Structure formats: C-alpha cells, structure tokens
C-alpha cells in the first residue's frame, strides 16, 4: 500500500473528522489519567468547536493529510509565523494506521513545508502521557528544550534545526 501526503483545507470534512478523532483521543487520555473518566459529550463538543484550526490556513499555517491507499489516515499541522521558526502541531494517525510509517512521513512532510516557507527551525510541545509522540520526535531528531509557550497542557517542548 502507498502513503501520500498533501495539503488539506483546515475546514474540509476530512480535516474535521481527523480533528474530532485527534481531540477525542488526547482529551480522553488526559481525563482517564487525571480524573478516571472519559471526556463528557458536552465538553468534547465545546472544545472541538472552540478550536477551528484557522491558524492552519495559508499563509500562516498548513494542514497536511496523510492518506493510506487513498483513504484519510492522519494529519499534521504547521504554524508558519513570521520569522524562521515554525511550529508542528496536531500530529495524529487513526489507531488502525499506526505502525506503518505514516507518522514519520507526516512529520517529514511538515518539515519540508516549513523549510519551503523559510523556516530553519521547528518547535513543538506535547504532554508527558503521550509517550508515543515523544518517542517519535526523539527518533526523528528533535531534542527536548525549555518551554517556548505557556500552554497549560504542555509538559515537554522539543526543537529541531531544519538546516
């Protein structure tokens, strides 16, 4: 089977489905760890609606969608602020698509997009319980740094020179 990665409008039905799946998973993991419960339906809908993804619209950002055998399988976002530092966000693969190389492909495509926009450095943040993400970033050459934001859920910050 073949992977492809291409830009996708942040407000497309495909993007919306991937955002819902991503947010549901990371929210449920947080609530299960800290409160022993899954995200409630009302809070899930409220939080999904609160973050439109408009920050991933060109030229300030980009949403990439990976497809496996032509079917949407995952996404990665890149925020492209003025300057030479880009930010990686929303790296996600549907559970059944994991372990097939798609996450690394998405991150590398995001790095290529950042480079093409003039970025020389990529930063990101993640939580401590997202151990798979932290392992992926380390494997792809990201190093842990000090905080670069005040996101209340960020516990680990990474950076990579894109050279």
């Amino acid at each position: 089977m073949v992977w492809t990665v291409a830009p996708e409008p942040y407000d497309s039905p495909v993007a919306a489905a991937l955002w819902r799946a991503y947010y549901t998973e990371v929210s449920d993991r947080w609530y299960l760890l800290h409160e022993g419960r899954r995200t409630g339906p009302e809070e899930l809908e409220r939080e999904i609606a609160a973050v439109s993804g408009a920050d991933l619209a060109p030229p300030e950002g980009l949403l990439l969608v990976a497809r496996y055998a032509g079917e949407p399988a995952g996404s990665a976002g890149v925020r492209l602020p003025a300057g030479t530092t880009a930010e990686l966000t929303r790296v996600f693969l549907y559970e059944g698509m994991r372990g097939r190389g798609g996450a690394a492909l998405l991150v590398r495509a995001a790095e290529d997009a950042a480079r093409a926009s003039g970025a020389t450095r990529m930063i990101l943040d993640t939580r401590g319980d997202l151990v798979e993400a932290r392992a992926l970033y380390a494997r792809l050459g990201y190093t842990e740094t000090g905080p670069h934001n005040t996101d209340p859920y960020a516990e680990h910050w990474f950076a990579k020179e894109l050279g």
Side-chain angles (χ1 to χ4, degrees):
M1 294 296 194
V2 178
W3 284 100
T4 60
V5 177
E8 179 83 21
Y10 77 91
D11 56 354
S12 75
V14 167
L18 285 160
W19 170 234
R20 175 174 288 282
Y22 167 88
Y23 192 82
T24 300
E25 182 173 329
V26 297
S27 182
D28 279 352
R29 284 178 72 161
W30 191 90
Y31 278 111
L32 284 167
L33 179 65
H34 295 283
E35 297 184 13
R37 66 175 179 91
R38 294 192 180 281
T39 312
E42 294 87 23
E43 62 193 341
L44 182 64
E45 293 307 318
R46 182 181 60 247
E47 295 304 318
I48 287 172
V51 183
S52 70
D55 59 335
L56 300 179
E60 293 85 21
L62 179 67
L63 179 68
L64 298 168
V65 169
R67 286 178 167 77
Y68 187 76
E71 294 297 318
S75 63
V78 184
R79 293 186 187 112
L80 302 164
T84 59
T85 299
E87 183 177 10
L88 183 64
T89 186
R90 291 194 194 186
V91 177
F92 173 76
L93 284 175
Y94 287 124
E95 188 173 359
M97 294 290 106
R98 295 174 188 163
R100 301 178 191 193
L105 186 69
L106 273 165
V107 172
R108 288 188 184 111
E111 292 170 354
D112 289 344
R115 271 189 214 93
S117 294
T120 58
R121 184 172 186 250
M122 183 81 85
I123 59 173
L124 64 93
D125 65 71
T126 192
R127 296 189 330 229
D129 63 310
L130 301 176
V131 293
E132 305 90 344
R134 291 178 23 234
L136 170 71
Y137 302 135
R139 189 172 73 247
L140 295 178
Y142 286 79
T143 56
E144 199 153 351
T145 66
H148 61 259
N149 63 27
T150 58
D151 182 325
Y153 297 105
E155 298 171 315
H156 297 270
W157 295 264
F158 291 84
K160 180 179 180 179
E161 297 302 317
L162 297 177

